[in-house]
Structures are given as structure tokens and as C-alpha cells.
Amino acid sequence: MCRADVPGCWGCSHSVHRRGFLTRCGAAAATMALAPLAAAAQPKAEKPRVALVFLSNSEEREIWPYPGFDCAGRHREVINLLESGCPGVEFVPIVVAQPGDAQKALAMKDSVDGYLVYVVTLNWGLTGVLHQVGKLGKPMLVVDEYLGGSGVFLVGLSGLKRQKLPVAAVSSTRPADLVAVARGFADVKKPGMTPALFARRCDEVYRGTFARSGEMKCREDQPALTPIAECVKRLKESRFLIVGAGPAGQQHEFLGAKGIYVGFPEFKALYDQVDRDEAAVWGRRWCSEAEKVVEAVPEWIHKAGAVYLAMLALMKKHGTDSITMNCLGGFGSGQLPAYPCLGFMQILNDGGQGVCEAMPDDSVSTLMGRILAGRAGYVSDPALDTSKNQIVYAHCMALTKVFGPKGPSNPFRIRTLHNRDPRGCCAQSFLPEGYMTTSFRTNVAQKKMVIHQAKAVGNLDADRGCRTQLLGEVRGDIGKMFDQWDLFGWHRVTVYGDLKEPLVEFGKALGLEIIEEA
């Protein structure tokens, strides 16, 4: 994570009004004589007290930054940063590690003047705490730990905004940005200050810290596009499997495409029939193609090969090349013998479709990109860094052929997943930079689609969050990107290419309302 020193002096944002000179020396002398007595009679103004609420628990496995993250150490760093950078504010730290701890923070309502909620880790059960604090009617600032609490931060914050609750936010890797905004708490006791006015002033200060958009000139990339009428026709003819979620044996229509629900027992029966020697061949092939194998071990890479072959058999049985699976839940419950991530990578590279987490909305979105441009999408969990005007698209499953199955491959490593489970295997893909990308997601139930664009500018290799970490320079207003996550969920599907206009046309042809989020 990027760290920066906080400047020692930030100046003063308030003008000082001076009295006019007294015209009589006697009056001036009298005033000077009485001044010490007046000062002694007036009590020293108390600093505003602000509850510094850490949503923080690294004891669970499926979290960001990673299991066992030093939460207490990070709390100390943040406390020291705020106390040194905001001398006019008294911060009162408290940790909310479980939803049941929320009352500790809520009970402070009458003894504090505002709330700064710092989302340290990715614990979805704590999202509701944001809403509970937001309804207290106090000045409120919500802060994201980059590649830490990002999902809870984005979804929870946008939920507050959709409820019209006044709230300010910071999502930046530059500590000075947090300090600059948090200093606004120094004014919360002044006459006329309301939570809404506080949020507006914080937003003004925060926007002043945003990096300017960089050069958006990109490498040449003109994919052949399918006519929109044909796109609609092909989508409505599409079928995809949803494994390990929903009513097994039933089908459901998603914008015309058929989602077929399959239970884990049906998948496991095919897995048990897989040739283990053939599975090991796939494991060795992935290892030889990888730049290197880091934590993952051969036994589980070979089991991933068996899961891949079972997925191929299941798709063949149901007459499709598209599958999404409840991977984390299935493996965690013992119903899935190994993670499907490497198999999904191979399916995507070969022109099919493998999507994590049994997500129909992601599956439909990925189908749209494949049908329109012949390119697979990269499903990710994004995080924002306004100090660089960047979004990072992070996930533990990624393809290595972003320009289609006949295009070039980019380098990758074989890693364990974000949960550091030694039985897990996934690709850390270093995706191409210099190209325009288009990211979007459908909300099929509400017939909406959200969309933005970013220039791919590189890949992070941070030891936090998910393994593949594509960096994008946001095209448009990154400040607008705090608003839509509760409606569309955390995921976005990124397709390489300047595809915004044709995807919007495709969405409208499907009857979708289009929301531009940047």
C-alpha cells in the first residue's frame, strides 16, 4: 500500500476578523487591563469528539486484505495519523468486529459530535453497521482501507447515498487525503453546521485532492463487432449452467438467455469419473505455461485439472460452453473437491465462459461481451484510488487471452487464493496495459446496466486482496463512482476494447436502462 508523509502544516481555512483601532488611549488601556480577567473567566473551548469506528476483523478466512492481517497495528497507524494531522479534533477509537458489536458504536451517539467509520477488512456482515451509524443523524465520514474493506465500503456507502443520508467518503492510498478531509470535524460544533453541510464541505475538500485524468490515448485495438440485432438473437439462444446455487433441475430466463441450475451431486458424479492421469497432464501444462508457481502445490493443481475436465463433461451434457459455479461456498462446504479457477481460465482462453460465484448477472454480462466482440470478460472486485484517478480490478480468477482465443497470451503465475488456503490454486494474470477497457454489469431483475471505461495502465502485485490486480485510469469523473454499488453489487465485468457505445446500444436493445458511473 502506498504510504506518504503527512505535511506538518496545512494552513488555516478560516479568516480572522480584526477589530477596528480604539480611538481613545484610555479605552485601549482599560481593554488591555481587563483582557486577562476575561480570558480567565471564559472556559477553554472543548475539541469536537469524534467516534473513530474501525470495522475490522481478520479472523475469518474469506476476507481482504488477507486472513490474519494485523488489524490492531493498522488501527494504531490510523489513530496516530489522525491525531497528528487533526489536532483540533479528539478521536475516540472503538472496534466493531462483529455485527453484535454495533451497539458499542451506536451507544456513543450522545457523547460524540460525529463518526468516522474506517472499513479495515472485508466482512460483509458489518455492512449493516454503516447503515445504523448513518441513521444517527451525526456528521459522518466513511473511509476505505485500499484492497481491504473495499466491498463493504463501496456497497455500504452507496446504500447510504441511495437513502439520501448525508455522508462523506475517502478512498485513497495517500494518507494526506484522509487527513485533509477529516479536519472538517474541527468545525462540527460551530453554529449552523449540519450533517448535510459537513458532507458537502468534505466532498469539496476531497475533490481537491483528486488526481487529474491522464492521457487517454491508447494502443490500436479494433475488434470486429457483431451487429446488434444478431447480438440480441444470439443472447436469447444462449444457455449457461449455474452450479451449486438455486433449485437444481430447474431453468430460469435471464434477458432471454436460459440459466440451468445444477446441483453439486451431479457435478461430483462426473468428477469421480475423470481420468486422473489426464487431469495431471492439465496440471503440468498449466505449471509449464506459468511464469512461475508460487504457493500452490502439485497435488491441488492436479485436482484443479480434474475439476476442469468435470466442468467440460457437464457443459457437454447440457449442450453449452458457459458455466458459473458457487466456488467458495462449494469448496468450503466440502461439496466441491477443488477450486475451479484454473479451469475457468482455460475455458475462457478457449472461447467458452467460466464465471465465479454462481452469478447470473455476471454470466449475462460476460455473454454480452463475448457475443458483441468475441472477447471474454474479466469479472472482478474493484477498489478506488482517487489520489491516482485509478480503479483496481482485483480477482482470484482471470483469463490470459483478453483479445480472444486466437489472440496472444499474457504472463501469469499460479498462486493460492486471497484466502491463502494451501489447497487453492488460481492464476495471477498480468493483463496487457495501454489499451482502453470497458467495464459494466447488468442487474437483470431491475433491467438496468451500469458502465464505465478505463485505460489499462498496469498491474499491481500487492500482498492484499485478490491475486490479479489490473489497474485502470478512469475515463470520466471518478467521484461519481461511489454511487451505484448497492444496486449492481460489487462485481464488474471488464472487456478489452473501446466498447462503450456498442454495449450501450446492445443494452438498450434488450430493454435495459443504462447508467454511466464515471
Side-chain angles (χ1 to χ4, degrees), residues 142-326:
V142 185
V143 183
D144 180 33
E145 174 76 12
Y146 187 65
L147 290 173
S150 304
V152 172
F153 168 82
L154 289 169
V155 174
L157 173 68
S158 60
L160 290 171
K161 288 175 171 283
R162 200 167 303 282
Q163 295 178 62
K164 306 298 183 185
L165 295 172
V167 58
V170 172
S171 181
S172 171
T173 59
R174 185 168 54 205
D177 296 351
L178 168 57
V179 170
V181 178
R183 281 182 175 158
F185 280 114
D187 296 334
V188 293
K189 296 178 74 172
K190 292 186 175 180
M193 180 59 67
T194 64
L197 180 57
F198 171 80
R200 287 198 300 272
R201 288 188 175 180
C202 286
D203 187 60
E204 290 172 2
V205 172
Y206 185 38
R207 281 185 168 273
T209 71
F210 288 9
R212 294 183 179 180
S213 296
E215 174 59 57
M216 284 293 163
K217 184 177 181 181
C218 297
R219 294 183 181 182
E220 187 70 19
D221 178 28
Q222 295 182 332
L225 301 181
T226 304
I228 297 302
E230 177 66 16
C231 286
V232 174
K233 177 177 178 293
R234 287 175 56 185
L235 180 69
K236 293 185 176 181
E237 293 172 349
S238 297
R239 300 155 58 88
F240 62 94
L241 306 183
I242 308 167
V243 181
Q250 297 187 24
Q251 297 184 13
H252 186 78
E253 195 170 280
F254 300 91
L255 297 182
K258 284 195 175 85
I260 303 166
Y261 293 97
V262 176
F264 276 124
E266 182 178 346
F267 175 81
K268 182 63 164 51
L270 294 172
Y271 175 86
D272 291 340
Q273 299 171 22
V274 164
D275 185 322
R276 291 306 188 265
D277 291 335
E278 186 181 359
V281 168
W282 275 103
R284 290 191 293 270
R285 172 178 167 176
W286 291 328
C287 290
S288 67
E289 292 175 348
E291 184 179 82
K292 62 180 176 178
V293 178
V294 187
E295 310 92 347
V297 296
E299 175 189 359
W300 287 94
I301 296 174
H302 295 172
K303 287 184 179 180
V307 167
Y308 165 61
L309 294 174
M311 288 192 291
L312 292 183
L314 186 67
M315 290 189 291
K316 182 178 180 180
K317 175 181 176 180
H318 288 277
T320 182
D321 65 353
S322 302
I323 184 171
T324 183
M325 183 179 291
N326 179 13

Side-chain angles (χ1 to χ4, degrees), residues 105-109 115 131-138 140 165:
L106 302 178
M108 301 172 72
K109 175 184 176 183
Y115 281 84
H131 292 184
Q132 290 174 284
V133 174
K135 292 175 181 178
L136 294 177
K138 294 282 188 176
M140 182 179 179
L165 295 172

Side-chain angles (χ1 to χ4, degrees), residues 42 69 82 345 440:
Q42 294 177 356
F69 177 72
L82 291 169
M345 175 191 72
F440 66 110

Side-chain angles (χ1 to χ4, degrees), residues 438-507:
T438 306
S439 298
F440 66 110
R441 197 180 196 226
T442 59
N443 180 327
V444 172
Q446 296 192 28
K447 301 204 73 175
K448 299 177 187 289
M449 184 175 86
V450 69
I451 191 166
H452 74 267
Q453 290 189 295
K455 177 183 176 180
V457 294
N459 295 267
L460 282 179
D461 188 11
D463 190 29
R464 50 168 55 212
C466 285
R467 296 303 196 180
T468 296
Q469 300 171 349
L470 174 65
L471 282 172
E473 172 93 9
V474 174
R475 187 180 199 176
D477 180 5
I478 195 172
K480 291 175 60 179
M481 295 194 72
F482 293 93
D483 297 345
Q484 303 299 332
W485 305 92
D486 65 314
L487 182 60
F488 290 93
W490 191 15
H491 284 178
R492 294 293 183 268
V493 178
T494 298
V495 182
Y496 270 66
D498 189 355
L499 303 175
K500 180 180 174 182
E501 290 186 7
L503 275 171
V504 166
E505 187 179 355
F506 192 176

Side-chain angles (χ1 to χ4, degrees), residues 309-380:
L309 294 174
M311 288 192 291
L312 292 183
L314 186 67
M315 290 189 291
K316 182 178 180 180
K317 175 181 176 180
H318 288 277
T320 182
D321 65 353
S322 302
I323 184 171
T324 183
M325 183 179 291
N326 179 13
C327 37
L328 294 173
F331 187 77
S333 64
Q335 299 178 85
L336 183 61
Y339 287 101
C341 314
L342 291 174
F344 283 160
M345 175 191 72
Q346 191 64 49
I347 292 168
L348 289 165
N349 287 347
D350 291 341
Q353 183 168 309
V355 173
C356 302
E357 301 177 48
M359 293 283 190
D361 283 342
D362 289 339
S363 295
V364 170
S365 303
T366 306
L367 278 169
M368 291 175 67
R370 284 177 62 206
I371 292 168
L372 176 67
R375 296 178 173 182
Y378 164 51
V379 179
S380 74

